[in-house]
Amino acid sequence: MKKATRRQTKAHNDRLILKTIYDKGEISRADIARLTGLTRTTVSDAVAAWMGNGLVAEVGVGRSARGKPPILLSVVDDARHLIGIDLADNVFRGAVVDLRGGIRCRHSLPVDERDGDAALAVVYELVGELVAAASSSILGIGIGAPGLMDPRRGVVRNAVNLDWHDLPLGYLLEERYQLPVYIANDCQVAALAECTFGRGRDVSNLIVIQVGRGVGAGIVLNRSLYCGDGCGAGEIGHVKFVDPGDRCRCGHRGCLETLVSTRAIVRRARAIALDDPGSALHRFAVEPGAIDLDAVFGAFQAGDEQVRSAIADVARVLGRAVAGLVCTLNVECVILAGRVTRFGQEWVELIRDEVGRAALAALADETQIQITELDADIVVLGAAALILSHELGLV
Ligand SMILES: [Zn+2]
């Protein structure tokens, strides 16, 4: 380790001051100095610089027991816009996001997954639309993509669904839009979204488990995203759970994903419908081949016994996976996201029961398992948080 240069120290302190203003909402210069241990001069100089580039503004006066009431400072939410992109589904989604995670506009485009070049063209079109829609200067582009990423090089190492292998997506977008680009796995950015804008704002450690077409976990430890040595931390979807089991997209059989993903649920529901002419599923789809997650949810709500039993099985298997994570990392905040969360609180209780059965009791009892409040925006917001983290140090 080397001693920090004066310039590095200044940059660090400037970011610390901005982050203190961001975290506190409204705060005076004197309180920043007190909280950070920096001198009033250092704080005043940094605040002047942040005000100079529009990121911070004076927003009113606070109370004071004696003397002049202090002027309060706040981060200007719309001072910069962030472009967040979610490539995890067969519809690419994106949004222009403000510095507080407020969504200024959304855009989405369907994609043909089998054609890697066509998928890349859709990314360009989506980013282009959003760049044009932003009404403030853009701080950067953040991407949450499925598969294995190399965030340091901005390379998609392997996204099987999109037929992308060693694609330098970060470089391509930087060249095209002349903006900083940050890329990470969709589940990993979902975890960043929770700790920046969601339920995880006040915790040090959390795990987000995304269950949609794919299954994966994002892990935040000490408020930093933990990606692992090969950037594959949290790839729980491809751990074998049954033997031999169904064939998985990864080439193996019996992976967690083949049991709990939306595809797995729909496949199981179609089998139920084919087998049982009296199934409630027939009310929600013209024929078994047309059953989708909406139809499964309809039959679940209508109280169809077989469908409810299938969803309970999904919860139990997922509970085992959560138990493994809880015992490995002892993280007390577990947040569930993705389309499967629509099965609601009853489904979460079943997962919690299974964690209680499968994990060390003392650890399971202390673990909170909740559904995200960020809904379908979680990856878009996480991609935006990735920019905030790198460009301003606000995460
Ligand atoms: Zn697999």
Side-chain angles (χ1 to χ4, degrees), residues 237-238 248 250 255:
H238 300 290
C248 181
C250 70
C255 295

Side-chain angles (χ1 to χ4, degrees), residues 55-383:
L55 274 158
V56 168
E58 293 180 339
V59 290
V61 287
R63 288 175 184 209
S64 161
R66 55 198 151 82
K68 207 171 113 191
I71 294 167
L72 297 177
L73 303 161
S74 182
V75 167
V76 180
D77 296 354
D78 274 309
R80 301 287 187 280
H81 280 165
L82 316 159
I83 307 283
I85 304 284
D86 171 3
L87 307 182
D89 219 329
N90 55 352
V91 173
F92 287 173
R93 300 155 49 85
V96 175
V97 180
D98 72 22
L99 297 175
R100 289 272 173 209
I103 296 205
R104 293 293 166 218
C105 77
R106 287 186 176 81
H107 194 55
S108 58
L109 290 169
V111 63
D112 177 1
E113 299 177 319
R114 289 151 301 182
D115 185 337
D117 290 339
L120 182 60
V122 174
V123 175
Y124 287 153
E125 189 182 341
L126 183 61
V127 173
E129 295 267 1
L130 293 166
V131 166
S135 55
S136 270
S137 124
I138 299 169
L139 198 60
I141 300 168
I143 311 263
L148 273 183
M149 306 294 129
D150 181 347
R152 287 172 286 259
R153 294 189 300 131
V155 168
V156 180
R157 288 172 57 196
N158 198 357
V160 179
N161 263 9
L162 300 169
D163 192 26
W164 288 347
H165 308 279
D166 287 322
L167 177 77
L169 186 61
Y171 170 79
L172 293 171
L173 290 172
E174 263 171 26
E175 284 292 295
R176 201 174 175 97
Y177 299 101
Q178 297 296 308
L179 286 166
V181 179
Y182 301 99
I183 294 181
N185 170 272
D186 58 326
C187 300
Q188 293 172 351
V189 302
L192 205 55
E194 281 300 331
C195 91
T196 315
F197 305 121
R199 290 186 183 274
R201 268 171 303 198
D202 304 319
V203 302
S204 298
N205 307 311
L206 67 89
I207 297 171
V208 171
I209 299 175
Q210 282 248 100
V211 192
R213 282 162 26 98
V215 180
I219 301 162
V220 168
L221 300 176
N222 298 321
R223 296 199 65 76
S224 289
L225 196 56
Y226 177 73
C227 294
D229 288 337
C231 306
E235 280 286 355
I236 57 170
H238 300 290
V239 175
K240 195 174 188 71
F241 264 69
V242 283
D243 211 359
D246 291 334
R247 171 85 54 198
C248 181
R249 291 179 301 147
C250 70
H252 291 164
R253 283 181 172 275
C255 295
L256 178 64
E257 191 173 298
T258 66
L259 299 170
V260 306
S261 67
T262 52
R263 278 188 264 222
I265 292 170
V266 166
R267 193 167 56 238
R268 190 156 166 184
R270 287 178 181 172
I272 291 170
L274 278 170
D275 204 43
D276 177 10
S279 167
L281 285 161
H282 295 292
R283 279 188 259 152
F284 300 95
V286 288
E287 44 116 7
I291 287 170
D292 58 8
L293 199 68
D294 289 343
V296 181
F297 187 61
F300 175 82
Q301 281 196 308
D304 184 283
E305 280 301 322
Q306 286 198 75
V307 170
R308 292 185 76 82
S309 158
I311 297 304
D313 278 351
V314 166
R316 276 190 289 274
V317 174
L318 209 49
R320 289 275 169 92
V322 173
L325 287 169
V326 164
C327 288
T328 309
L329 295 169
N330 185 208
V331 166
E332 292 175 10
C333 179
V334 175
I335 296 166
L336 301 164
R339 290 174 66 210
V340 179
T341 56
R342 68 189 295 183
F343 292 100
Q345 206 47 46
E346 194 186 334
W347 176 76
V348 174
E349 292 307 326
L350 291 169
I351 294 174
R352 189 172 293 140
D353 290 348
E354 187 62 27
V355 174
R357 273 190 290 272
L360 201 59
L363 301 183
D365 291 349
E366 289 164 358
T367 306
Q368 295 171 36
I369 303 174
Q370 297 168 304
I371 292 178
T372 180
E373 292 171 332
L374 303 176
D375 300 324
D377 289 323
I378 188 165
V379 174
V380 160
L381 288 172

